[in-house]
Amino acid sequence: MFTVKTFPVGSIATNCSLVYFEAEKLLLVIDPGADAAEIIAAAKSFPFETARILLTHAHVDHISACGEVARALNVEKVEVSPADAAMYASPENCFFPYFPPAKDLPPVSDFAPIPGGKVLNLPGHTMGGSGFLFNDGKKQILIAGDTIFCGSIGRTDLPGGDYETLINSIKNEILTLPDEVEIISGHGGSTTVGFERKHNPYLN
């Protein structure tokens, strides 16, 4: 059984998600992009024993609070696809005037196993784009980062982006999931696989 809490952070409203596994007392903090104090307070509302930080990709608006959150929650390494590790640490990873390069970032590692979940390889928005699929037998939720949005898709004109790769990731990894799977994107409201299969103009 897992609980998901998602809320926007930062000046461009990046979705940060907290996924709590009750049996394991494990908390996953996904995409802590800004507003570290708010993320830390929300995280501490869960009775976790272990916390981990996972990134859907390494654009600066998804990583800027990693340092503060990691120190507060005793996380030694941030988990991200190796294909995005260089971007994560690059001083050129910035979106002025909203996001300067992130500072005091923890070291990174590849993804460890997730209880009741799996990591999807979703390159296209960045080379290391990733999604996290959770299934407790009653509900399935995909945290997809900036790969897909309600009625839209991720940009491919930013560093690491490639349009054809992105479309292939969506069609081969996301649209093969059941219609009822809820999708939590990196910005904006949630959607479902079934809705995007029928209504997303970029996929028809």
Side-chain angles (χ1 to χ4, degrees):
M1 179 177 176
F2 63 89
T3 300
V4 179
K5 178 180 177 65
T6 300
F7 48 96
V9 297
S11 56
I12 56 175
T14 299
N15 284 330
C16 175
S17 293
L18 307 181
V19 184
Y20 177 64
F21 297 89
E22 184 176 353
E24 294 83 2
K25 301 292 184 184
L26 169 67
L27 180 69
L28 304 182
V29 180
I30 300 175
D31 290 355
D35 299 332
E38 180 181 354
I39 296 171
I40 293 165
K44 290 187 174 180
S45 70
F46 294 96
F48 68 90
E49 295 177 356
T50 302
R52 292 163 54 186
I53 295 175
L54 282 65
L55 303 177
T56 60
H57 64 292
H59 280 154
V60 65
D61 59 312
H62 290 252
I63 72 171
S64 287
C66 280
E68 290 180 69
V69 173
R71 287 189 290 273
L73 304 184
N74 297 313
V75 177
E76 293 184 359
K77 292 186 177 182
V78 171
E79 298 173 39
V80 64
S81 166
D84 269 12
M87 180 188 296
Y88 171 88
S90 173
E92 297 180 1
N93 186 17
C94 57
F95 295 149
F96 285 114
Y98 303 106
F99 283 91
K103 297 180 179 179
D104 302 320
L105 292 173
V108 296
S109 68
D110 202 351
F111 300 111
I114 299 172
K118 64 184 292 188
V119 178
L120 302 185
N121 186 30
L122 300 175
H125 180 64
T126 68
M127 293 183 290
S130 303
F132 310 110
L133 180 65
F134 304 98
N135 182 358
D136 63 6
K138 296 181 180 179
K139 61 182 180 294
Q140 293 190 71
I141 294 178
L142 172 65
I143 297 178
D146 291 359
T147 299
I148 188 170
F149 302 104
C150 183
S152 189
I153 59 173
R155 292 175 60 175
T156 56
D157 60 333
L158 298 171
D162 182 81
Y163 180 81
E164 184 176 352
T165 300
L166 180 75
I167 295 298
N168 286 338
S169 291
I170 294 170
K171 290 186 174 180
N172 295 333
E173 297 293 336
I174 296 179
L175 297 188
T176 54
L177 299 172
D179 282 352
E180 63 271 18
V181 174
E182 179 184 357
I183 299 172
I184 297 175
S185 301
H187 304 268
S190 63
T191 183
T192 65
V193 171
F195 181 89
E196 299 311 311
R197 193 193 317 278
K198 293 180 181 178
H199 301 293
N200 193 311
Y202 294 90
L203 305 176
N204 295 307

